[in-house]
Amino acid sequence: MRRGLFRWQMGGMGETAEQIDALVVGAGPAGLMAAEQMARAGRRVVVAEAMPSPGRKLLMAGKSGLNLTKDEDFAAFLSAYADAGDWLAPMLKGFGPDQVAPWAEGLGQTLFVGSSGRVFPKAMKASPLLRAWLARLGDAGVTLRRLWRWTGFREERLAFTTPEGPRLIAPRVTVLALGGASWSRLGSDGAWAPWLADRGVEIAPFAPANMGFRVAWSDHMARHFGQPVKGVALNAGGQHLRAEFVISARGIEGGGIYALSRALREGATLVLDLAPDRDHDALAAKLAGRGKESLSNRLRKAGLSPLQIALAQEVARPLPRDPAALAGLLKALPLPLAGPRPLDEAISVAGGITRAALTDGLQLRVLPGVFAAGEMLDWEAPTGGYLLTACLATGRWAGRAAAEY
């Protein structure tokens, strides 16, 4: 494809900028989906990616099994996005759980639904899907430029550092899909936020989402580091769920904690029910014991695991010996947290470009012709397929709107 060039004048010196039809900045799921939609509409698309290879965060997510989406009723699915649900609803209706599966199958992926409703490719990894997707984009004429790092605006142009040196691009339309501000080593570093803010784009402050929390463990807990806490219920901020979490040297993490991370980040107390299958009275009866039976033995006979017993002793030593009082404590054990783990360790982020800063088509109101998608936008959701589905859906939405611009 021949590249059109035109010259902009700045400060008496000429700077040459490459004129292109459509630009996508960021080759993650949102960016690739936007590129695909624009290419289908006949746009000549260039994707600029800062990293040596595309989709690095997607590939990292796939290391533990690529959770594409969640097979559940749409109303329940939408509720996972909390106060952003009404904003994302039309985008997710256009490309939600019912559409993600056939899209992935169209890329040669055989899928299965796990017991929790989570949808995975049988290969489990992200790499086969990503390879097929990139091949399809290449066949559609999409050009991928690796190691092209966006460094902000120069007048109406976008500036990049590249292996060949600094470059300027003047696209007819742009979709920004640079991710949030976590896992910077995979490319999502949030460096774009001040550049957009300087142009008048409203940015909600970043905050970690789907992250672990710090706990100041005593030395007694060291032997349990790396172990999952099973058979418990977690409560925080009015939410209640049966889920596992993991004890680590740094605190707690895992699916159960990620699902409650927003409430915990906002100050809710984490309360554990260590015996969710027994009511208070039944547990108290099990804890009554006989004669001078040791407390540890009574806890073991009541069905608590060694790790659950260690948690109770860590948090509430000395434990009450009265069976009723002890049962009450084990059914509502508060676990003191010392704040979330750092932003860069979070699976995803809250904050980003606000809804008010965007049109219904995800175009930046103060920057005509510039659209945004994915984790750059101010929404959050738990793990379980919700994150990837929304990235794909917003990328598709922005790409279609940009193609029509």
Short mmCIF file of all heavy atoms in Angstrom, two decimals, residues 54-113:
data_model
loop_
_atom_site.label_atom_id
_atom_site.label_comp_id
_atom_site.label_asym_id
_atom_site.label_seq_id
_atom_site.Cartn_x
_atom_site.Cartn_y
_atom_site.Cartn_z
N PRO A 54 1.86 -8.62 19.61
CA PRO A 54 0.53 -8.18 20.03
C PRO A 54 -0.08 -9.09 21.08
O PRO A 54 0.34 -10.23 21.28
CB PRO A 54 -0.27 -8.23 18.73
CG PRO A 54 0.38 -9.32 17.94
CD PRO A 54 1.84 -9.24 18.28
N GLY A 55 -1.11 -8.57 21.76
CA GLY A 55 -1.93 -9.38 22.65
C GLY A 55 -1.21 -9.96 23.84
O GLY A 55 -1.54 -11.06 24.30
N ARG A 56 -0.23 -9.23 24.40
CA ARG A 56 0.57 -9.84 25.48
C ARG A 56 -0.25 -10.10 26.75
O ARG A 56 -0.04 -11.11 27.42
CB ARG A 56 1.77 -8.95 25.79
CG ARG A 56 2.81 -8.96 24.68
CD ARG A 56 4.19 -8.69 25.20
NE ARG A 56 5.20 -9.11 24.24
CZ ARG A 56 6.50 -9.14 24.48
NH1 ARG A 56 6.95 -8.79 25.67
NH2 ARG A 56 7.35 -9.53 23.57
N LYS A 57 -1.14 -9.20 27.09
CA LYS A 57 -1.95 -9.43 28.29
C LYS A 57 -2.95 -10.57 28.06
O LYS A 57 -3.25 -11.35 28.96
CB LYS A 57 -2.67 -8.15 28.70
CG LYS A 57 -3.21 -8.17 30.12
CD LYS A 57 -3.70 -6.82 30.57
CE LYS A 57 -4.21 -6.86 32.00
NZ LYS A 57 -4.76 -5.55 32.45
N LEU A 58 -3.46 -10.67 26.83
CA LEU A 58 -4.34 -11.77 26.48
C LEU A 58 -3.61 -13.10 26.62
O LEU A 58 -4.14 -14.07 27.16
CB LEU A 58 -4.84 -11.59 25.05
CG LEU A 58 -5.76 -12.68 24.50
CD1 LEU A 58 -7.09 -12.67 25.22
CD2 LEU A 58 -5.96 -12.51 23.00
N LEU A 59 -2.38 -13.15 26.14
CA LEU A 59 -1.59 -14.37 26.25
C LEU A 59 -1.30 -14.72 27.70
O LEU A 59 -1.33 -15.90 28.09
CB LEU A 59 -0.28 -14.22 25.48
CG LEU A 59 -0.42 -14.14 23.95
CD1 LEU A 59 0.91 -13.74 23.33
CD2 LEU A 59 -0.92 -15.46 23.38
N MET A 60 -1.04 -13.71 28.53
CA MET A 60 -0.80 -13.96 29.95
C MET A 60 -2.07 -14.52 30.60
O MET A 60 -2.01 -15.47 31.40
CB MET A 60 -0.38 -12.67 30.63
CG MET A 60 -0.22 -12.79 32.15
SD MET A 60 1.09 -13.94 32.63
CE MET A 60 2.54 -12.93 32.32
N ALA A 61 -3.23 -13.94 30.26
CA ALA A 61 -4.49 -14.45 30.81
C ALA A 61 -4.71 -15.90 30.43
O ALA A 61 -5.24 -16.70 31.20
CB ALA A 61 -5.65 -13.59 30.32
N GLY A 62 -4.28 -16.27 29.23
CA GLY A 62 -4.49 -17.62 28.76
C GLY A 62 -3.60 -18.65 29.40
O GLY A 62 -3.82 -19.86 29.23
N LYS A 63 -2.58 -18.22 30.15
CA LYS A 63 -1.69 -19.19 30.79
C LYS A 63 -2.42 -20.06 31.81
O LYS A 63 -2.04 -21.20 32.04
CB LYS A 63 -0.53 -18.46 31.45
CG LYS A 63 0.54 -18.00 30.47
CD LYS A 63 1.80 -17.56 31.17
CE LYS A 63 2.91 -17.30 30.17
NZ LYS A 63 4.19 -16.94 30.83
N SER A 64 -3.44 -19.50 32.42
CA SER A 64 -4.21 -20.28 33.40
C SER A 64 -5.55 -20.74 32.82
O SER A 64 -6.42 -21.20 33.54
CB SER A 64 -4.46 -19.44 34.66
OG SER A 64 -5.12 -18.24 34.35
N GLY A 65 -5.70 -20.63 31.51
CA GLY A 65 -6.95 -21.00 30.85
C GLY A 65 -7.67 -19.76 30.36
O GLY A 65 -8.05 -18.91 31.17
N LEU A 66 -7.84 -19.63 29.06
CA LEU A 66 -8.43 -18.42 28.49
C LEU A 66 -9.93 -18.41 28.70
O LEU A 66 -10.68 -19.09 28.00
CB LEU A 66 -8.10 -18.32 27.00
CG LEU A 66 -8.63 -17.06 26.30
CD1 LEU A 66 -8.00 -15.81 26.90
CD2 LEU A 66 -8.39 -17.13 24.80
N ASN A 67 -10.38 -17.64 29.67
CA ASN A 67 -11.81 -17.52 29.98
C ASN A 67 -12.41 -16.44 29.07
O ASN A 67 -12.27 -15.25 29.31
CB ASN A 67 -11.98 -17.15 31.45
CG ASN A 67 -13.42 -17.15 31.91
OD1 ASN A 67 -13.70 -16.73 33.03
ND2 ASN A 67 -14.35 -17.58 31.08
N LEU A 68 -13.08 -16.89 28.00
CA LEU A 68 -13.57 -15.97 26.98
C LEU A 68 -14.79 -15.17 27.42
O LEU A 68 -14.89 -13.98 27.18
CB LEU A 68 -13.93 -16.75 25.71
CG LEU A 68 -12.75 -17.31 24.91
CD1 LEU A 68 -13.25 -18.31 23.88
CD2 LEU A 68 -12.00 -16.17 24.24
N THR A 69 -15.74 -15.85 28.06
CA THR A 69 -16.98 -15.19 28.47
C THR A 69 -17.67 -16.06 29.51
O THR A 69 -17.09 -17.02 30.02
CB THR A 69 -17.88 -14.94 27.24
OG1 THR A 69 -18.95 -14.06 27.59
CG2 THR A 69 -18.43 -16.23 26.66
N LYS A 70 -18.89 -15.71 29.85
CA LYS A 70 -19.67 -16.45 30.86
C LYS A 70 -21.02 -16.81 30.26
O LYS A 70 -21.74 -15.94 29.75
CB LYS A 70 -19.85 -15.58 32.12
CG LYS A 70 -20.57 -16.24 33.28
CD LYS A 70 -19.63 -17.13 34.08
CE LYS A 70 -20.31 -17.71 35.32
NZ LYS A 70 -20.53 -16.69 36.36
N ASP A 71 -21.36 -18.07 30.29
CA ASP A 71 -22.63 -18.55 29.75
C ASP A 71 -23.71 -18.39 30.82
O ASP A 71 -23.89 -19.26 31.67
CB ASP A 71 -22.50 -20.00 29.32
CG ASP A 71 -23.77 -20.55 28.69
OD1 ASP A 71 -24.61 -19.74 28.24
OD2 ASP A 71 -23.95 -21.79 28.67
N GLU A 72 -24.40 -17.26 30.78
CA GLU A 72 -25.47 -17.01 31.75
C GLU A 72 -26.48 -16.04 31.18
O GLU A 72 -26.25 -15.40 30.14
CB GLU A 72 -24.89 -16.48 33.07
CG GLU A 72 -24.24 -15.14 33.00
CD GLU A 72 -23.66 -14.70 34.35
OE1 GLU A 72 -23.92 -15.37 35.36
OE2 GLU A 72 -22.92 -13.70 34.36
N ASP A 73 -27.60 -15.93 31.84
CA ASP A 73 -28.65 -15.00 31.44
C ASP A 73 -28.07 -13.59 31.29
O ASP A 73 -27.23 -13.16 32.09
CB ASP A 73 -29.75 -15.01 32.51
CG ASP A 73 -30.81 -13.96 32.27
OD1 ASP A 73 -31.65 -14.16 31.40
OD2 ASP A 73 -30.75 -12.92 32.96
N PHE A 74 -28.55 -12.86 30.26
CA PHE A 74 -27.94 -11.55 29.97
C PHE A 74 -28.09 -10.58 31.13
O PHE A 74 -27.17 -9.81 31.43
CB PHE A 74 -28.55 -10.95 28.70
CG PHE A 74 -27.90 -9.65 28.30
CD1 PHE A 74 -26.62 -9.65 27.73
CD2 PHE A 74 -28.53 -8.44 28.52
CE1 PHE A 74 -26.00 -8.45 27.37
CE2 PHE A 74 -27.92 -7.24 28.17
CZ PHE A 74 -26.66 -7.25 27.59
N ALA A 75 -29.23 -10.60 31.80
CA ALA A 75 -29.42 -9.68 32.93
C ALA A 75 -28.41 -9.96 34.03
O ALA A 75 -27.84 -9.03 34.62
CB ALA A 75 -30.85 -9.79 33.46
N ALA A 76 -28.16 -11.24 34.32
CA ALA A 76 -27.16 -11.59 35.32
C ALA A 76 -25.77 -11.20 34.85
O ALA A 76 -24.95 -10.70 35.63
CB ALA A 76 -27.23 -13.09 35.62
N PHE A 77 -25.50 -11.42 33.57
CA PHE A 77 -24.20 -11.06 33.01
C PHE A 77 -23.98 -9.55 33.14
O PHE A 77 -22.92 -9.10 33.59
CB PHE A 77 -24.14 -11.48 31.54
CG PHE A 77 -22.80 -11.31 30.90
CD1 PHE A 77 -21.85 -12.31 30.99
CD2 PHE A 77 -22.49 -10.16 30.20
CE1 PHE A 77 -20.60 -12.16 30.40
CE2 PHE A 77 -21.25 -10.00 29.61
CZ PHE A 77 -20.30 -11.00 29.71
N LEU A 78 -24.99 -8.78 32.79
CA LEU A 78 -24.86 -7.32 32.82
C LEU A 78 -24.66 -6.80 34.24
O LEU A 78 -23.96 -5.80 34.46
CB LEU A 78 -26.09 -6.68 32.19
CG LEU A 78 -26.01 -5.19 31.84
CD1 LEU A 78 -24.92 -4.95 30.79
CD2 LEU A 78 -27.36 -4.71 31.32
N SER A 79 -25.24 -7.48 35.22
CA SER A 79 -25.15 -7.01 36.60
C SER A 79 -23.71 -7.04 37.11
O SER A 79 -23.38 -6.36 38.08
CB SER A 79 -26.04 -7.85 37.52
OG SER A 79 -25.54 -9.18 37.64
N ALA A 80 -22.83 -7.82 36.47
CA ALA A 80 -21.43 -7.89 36.90
C ALA A 80 -20.71 -6.56 36.70
O ALA A 80 -19.67 -6.32 37.32
CB ALA A 80 -20.71 -8.99 36.14
N TYR A 81 -21.27 -5.69 35.85
CA TYR A 81 -20.63 -4.42 35.56
C TYR A 81 -21.14 -3.28 36.45
O TYR A 81 -20.75 -2.13 36.26
CB TYR A 81 -20.82 -4.06 34.08
CG TYR A 81 -20.23 -5.09 33.16
CD1 TYR A 81 -21.00 -6.17 32.71
CD2 TYR A 81 -18.90 -5.03 32.77
CE1 TYR A 81 -20.46 -7.14 31.89
CE2 TYR A 81 -18.35 -6.00 31.94
CZ TYR A 81 -19.14 -7.06 31.50
OH TYR A 81 -18.60 -8.02 30.69
N ALA A 82 -21.99 -3.63 37.39
CA ALA A 82 -22.48 -2.68 38.41
C ALA A 82 -22.99 -1.39 37.77
O ALA A 82 -23.80 -1.44 36.85
CB ALA A 82 -21.38 -2.41 39.44
N ASP A 83 -22.48 -0.24 38.22
CA ASP A 83 -23.03 1.03 37.76
C ASP A 83 -22.66 1.37 36.33
O ASP A 83 -23.17 2.35 35.77
CB ASP A 83 -22.61 2.16 38.70
CG ASP A 83 -21.12 2.18 38.98
OD1 ASP A 83 -20.39 1.39 38.38
OD2 ASP A 83 -20.69 3.01 39.81
N ALA A 84 -21.79 0.60 35.69
CA ALA A 84 -21.47 0.83 34.27
C ALA A 84 -22.33 -0.04 33.36
O ALA A 84 -22.23 0.07 32.13
CB ALA A 84 -20.00 0.54 34.00
N GLY A 85 -23.19 -0.86 33.96
CA GLY A 85 -23.98 -1.79 33.17
C GLY A 85 -24.89 -1.12 32.16
O GLY A 85 -24.99 -1.56 31.01
N ASP A 86 -25.55 -0.02 32.55
CA ASP A 86 -26.46 0.62 31.61
C ASP A 86 -25.70 1.25 30.45
O ASP A 86 -26.18 1.30 29.32
CB ASP A 86 -27.33 1.65 32.32
CG ASP A 86 -26.53 2.79 32.92
OD1 ASP A 86 -25.36 2.58 33.28
OD2 ASP A 86 -27.07 3.91 33.02
N TRP A 87 -24.49 1.74 30.72
CA TRP A 87 -23.65 2.31 29.66
C TRP A 87 -23.20 1.24 28.67
O TRP A 87 -23.26 1.41 27.45
CB TRP A 87 -22.43 2.99 30.31
CG TRP A 87 -21.45 3.62 29.37
CD1 TRP A 87 -21.71 4.10 28.11
CD2 TRP A 87 -20.06 3.84 29.61
NE1 TRP A 87 -20.55 4.61 27.56
CE2 TRP A 87 -19.54 4.46 28.45
CE3 TRP A 87 -19.22 3.58 30.69
CZ2 TRP A 87 -18.18 4.83 28.36
CZ3 TRP A 87 -17.88 3.96 30.60
CH2 TRP A 87 -17.38 4.58 29.44
N LEU A 88 -22.77 0.09 29.20
CA LEU A 88 -22.23 -0.97 28.35
C LEU A 88 -23.32 -1.84 27.74
O LEU A 88 -23.02 -2.61 26.81
CB LEU A 88 -21.28 -1.84 29.17
CG LEU A 88 -20.04 -1.17 29.75
CD1 LEU A 88 -19.23 -2.17 30.57
CD2 LEU A 88 -19.16 -0.57 28.65
N ALA A 89 -24.55 -1.74 28.21
CA ALA A 89 -25.61 -2.65 27.79
C ALA A 89 -25.76 -2.76 26.27
O ALA A 89 -25.77 -3.88 25.73
CB ALA A 89 -26.93 -2.26 28.43
N PRO A 90 -25.87 -1.66 25.52
CA PRO A 90 -26.03 -1.84 24.06
C PRO A 90 -24.81 -2.48 23.41
O PRO A 90 -24.94 -3.23 22.44
CB PRO A 90 -26.25 -0.40 23.56
CG PRO A 90 -25.73 0.49 24.63
CD PRO A 90 -25.96 -0.25 25.91
N MET A 91 -23.63 -2.21 23.93
CA MET A 91 -22.41 -2.80 23.36
C MET A 91 -22.37 -4.29 23.63
O MET A 91 -21.99 -5.09 22.77
CB MET A 91 -21.18 -2.10 23.94
CG MET A 91 -21.20 -0.60 23.78
SD MET A 91 -19.81 0.22 24.60
CE MET A 91 -20.59 1.77 25.07
N LEU A 92 -22.78 -4.69 24.85
CA LEU A 92 -22.76 -6.10 25.22
C LEU A 92 -23.92 -6.86 24.56
O LEU A 92 -23.80 -8.07 24.32
CB LEU A 92 -22.82 -6.24 26.73
CG LEU A 92 -21.55 -5.76 27.46
CD1 LEU A 92 -21.79 -5.65 28.96
CD2 LEU A 92 -20.38 -6.70 27.19
N LYS A 93 -25.01 -6.17 24.28
CA LYS A 93 -26.09 -6.83 23.53
C LYS A 93 -25.63 -7.13 22.11
O LYS A 93 -25.99 -8.15 21.52
CB LYS A 93 -27.33 -5.93 23.51
CG LYS A 93 -28.13 -5.95 24.80
CD LYS A 93 -29.36 -5.05 24.69
CE LYS A 93 -30.15 -5.08 26.00
NZ LYS A 93 -31.32 -4.15 25.95
N GLY A 94 -24.81 -6.22 21.57
CA GLY A 94 -24.29 -6.43 20.22
C GLY A 94 -23.22 -7.50 20.16
O GLY A 94 -23.06 -8.19 19.14
N PHE A 95 -22.46 -7.64 21.24
CA PHE A 95 -21.39 -8.63 21.26
C PHE A 95 -21.18 -9.09 22.70
O PHE A 95 -20.24 -8.67 23.38
CB PHE A 95 -20.09 -8.05 20.68
CG PHE A 95 -19.11 -9.10 20.23
CD1 PHE A 95 -19.26 -9.72 19.01
CD2 PHE A 95 -18.05 -9.48 21.03
CE1 PHE A 95 -18.36 -10.70 18.58
CE2 PHE A 95 -17.15 -10.45 20.62
CZ PHE A 95 -17.30 -11.06 19.39
N GLY A 96 -22.07 -9.94 23.14
CA GLY A 96 -22.02 -10.48 24.49
C GLY A 96 -21.77 -11.97 24.47
O GLY A 96 -21.23 -12.52 23.51
N PRO A 97 -22.17 -12.67 25.52
CA PRO A 97 -21.90 -14.11 25.61
C PRO A 97 -22.40 -14.91 24.41
O PRO A 97 -21.75 -15.86 23.98
CB PRO A 97 -22.64 -14.51 26.90
CG PRO A 97 -22.70 -13.26 27.71
CD PRO A 97 -22.85 -12.14 26.73
N ASP A 98 -23.56 -14.53 23.87
CA ASP A 98 -24.12 -15.28 22.74
C ASP A 98 -23.34 -15.08 21.45
O ASP A 98 -23.45 -15.89 20.52
CB ASP A 98 -25.58 -14.88 22.51
CG ASP A 98 -26.49 -15.34 23.63
OD1 ASP A 98 -26.10 -16.26 24.38
OD2 ASP A 98 -27.60 -14.78 23.77
N GLN A 99 -22.57 -13.99 21.37
CA GLN A 99 -21.81 -13.71 20.15
C GLN A 99 -20.34 -14.10 20.27
O GLN A 99 -19.69 -14.40 19.27
CB GLN A 99 -21.92 -12.22 19.80
CG GLN A 99 -23.30 -11.75 19.37
CD GLN A 99 -24.27 -11.56 20.54
OE1 GLN A 99 -23.85 -11.20 21.64
NE2 GLN A 99 -25.54 -11.81 20.29
N VAL A 100 -19.79 -14.06 21.48
CA VAL A 100 -18.37 -14.37 21.66
C VAL A 100 -18.08 -15.81 21.25
O VAL A 100 -17.06 -16.08 20.58
CB VAL A 100 -17.94 -14.12 23.12
CG1 VAL A 100 -16.53 -14.67 23.36
CG2 VAL A 100 -17.97 -12.63 23.45
N ALA A 101 -18.95 -16.73 21.63
CA ALA A 101 -18.69 -18.14 21.33
C ALA A 101 -18.61 -18.40 19.83
O ALA A 101 -17.61 -18.99 19.36
CB ALA A 101 -19.75 -19.02 21.99
N PRO A 102 -19.61 -18.00 19.03
CA PRO A 102 -19.47 -18.26 17.59
C PRO A 102 -18.31 -17.51 16.95
O PRO A 102 -17.71 -17.99 15.99
CB PRO A 102 -20.82 -17.82 17.01
CG PRO A 102 -21.48 -17.00 18.06
CD PRO A 102 -20.94 -17.48 19.36
N TRP A 103 -17.97 -16.33 17.49
CA TRP A 103 -16.81 -15.60 16.97
C TRP A 103 -15.54 -16.42 17.18
O TRP A 103 -14.72 -16.57 16.27
CB TRP A 103 -16.71 -14.25 17.69
CG TRP A 103 -15.41 -13.53 17.47
CD1 TRP A 103 -15.05 -12.80 16.38
CD2 TRP A 103 -14.29 -13.50 18.36
NE1 TRP A 103 -13.77 -12.30 16.53
CE2 TRP A 103 -13.28 -12.71 17.74
CE3 TRP A 103 -14.03 -14.04 19.62
CZ2 TRP A 103 -12.04 -12.47 18.34
CZ3 TRP A 103 -12.81 -13.80 20.22
CH2 TRP A 103 -11.83 -13.02 19.59
N ALA A 104 -15.36 -16.96 18.38
CA ALA A 104 -14.17 -17.76 18.66
C ALA A 104 -14.17 -19.05 17.84
O ALA A 104 -13.12 -19.49 17.34
CB ALA A 104 -14.09 -18.09 20.15
N GLU A 105 -15.34 -19.66 17.67
CA GLU A 105 -15.43 -20.87 16.85
C GLU A 105 -15.07 -20.56 15.40
O GLU A 105 -14.47 -21.40 14.71
CB GLU A 105 -16.83 -21.46 16.96
CG GLU A 105 -17.10 -22.08 18.33
CD GLU A 105 -18.56 -22.42 18.56
OE1 GLU A 105 -19.42 -21.91 17.81
OE2 GLU A 105 -18.83 -23.18 19.51
N GLY A 106 -15.40 -19.35 14.95
CA GLY A 106 -15.04 -18.92 13.60
C GLY A 106 -13.54 -18.78 13.42
O GLY A 106 -13.05 -18.74 12.29
N LEU A 107 -12.82 -18.70 14.53
CA LEU A 107 -11.36 -18.66 14.49
C LEU A 107 -10.75 -20.04 14.76
O LEU A 107 -9.58 -20.16 15.10
CB LEU A 107 -10.84 -17.65 15.53
CG LEU A 107 -11.11 -16.18 15.19
CD1 LEU A 107 -10.80 -15.29 16.39
CD2 LEU A 107 -10.29 -15.73 13.98
N GLY A 108 -11.58 -21.06 14.61
CA GLY A 108 -11.10 -22.43 14.72
C GLY A 108 -11.01 -22.98 16.12
O GLY A 108 -10.39 -24.03 16.33
N GLN A 109 -11.64 -22.30 17.09
CA GLN A 109 -11.54 -22.74 18.48
C GLN A 109 -12.77 -23.57 18.88
O GLN A 109 -13.90 -23.10 18.76
CB GLN A 109 -11.42 -21.53 19.41
CG GLN A 109 -10.24 -20.64 19.09
CD GLN A 109 -8.94 -21.40 19.03
OE1 GLN A 109 -8.50 -21.98 20.02
NE2 GLN A 109 -8.30 -21.42 17.86
N THR A 110 -12.53 -24.79 19.34
CA THR A 110 -13.59 -25.60 19.93
C THR A 110 -13.72 -25.21 21.39
O THR A 110 -12.72 -25.14 22.11
CB THR A 110 -13.26 -27.10 19.81
OG1 THR A 110 -13.05 -27.42 18.44
CG2 THR A 110 -14.38 -27.94 20.37
N LEU A 111 -14.95 -24.93 21.82
CA LEU A 111 -15.17 -24.38 23.16
C LEU A 111 -15.85 -25.40 24.08
O LEU A 111 -16.47 -26.35 23.62
CB LEU A 111 -16.04 -23.12 23.07
CG LEU A 111 -15.59 -22.03 22.10
CD1 LEU A 111 -16.56 -20.86 22.13
CD2 LEU A 111 -14.18 -21.57 22.41
N PHE A 112 -15.73 -25.16 25.36
CA PHE A 112 -16.50 -25.91 26.34
C PHE A 112 -16.91 -24.97 27.47
O PHE A 112 -16.27 -23.94 27.70
CB PHE A 112 -15.73 -27.12 26.89
CG PHE A 112 -14.61 -26.77 27.84
CD1 PHE A 112 -14.82 -26.75 29.21
CD2 PHE A 112 -13.34 -26.45 27.36
CE1 PHE A 112 -13.79 -26.44 30.09
CE2 PHE A 112 -12.31 -26.14 28.23
CZ PHE A 112 -12.53 -26.12 29.59
N VAL A 113 -17.98 -25.33 28.15
CA VAL A 113 -18.50 -24.54 29.27
C VAL A 113 -18.20 -25.27 30.56
O VAL A 113 -18.60 -26.43 30.73
CB VAL A 113 -20.02 -24.29 29.13
CG1 VAL A 113 -20.53 -23.44 30.30
CG2 VAL A 113 -20.33 -23.63 27.80
#
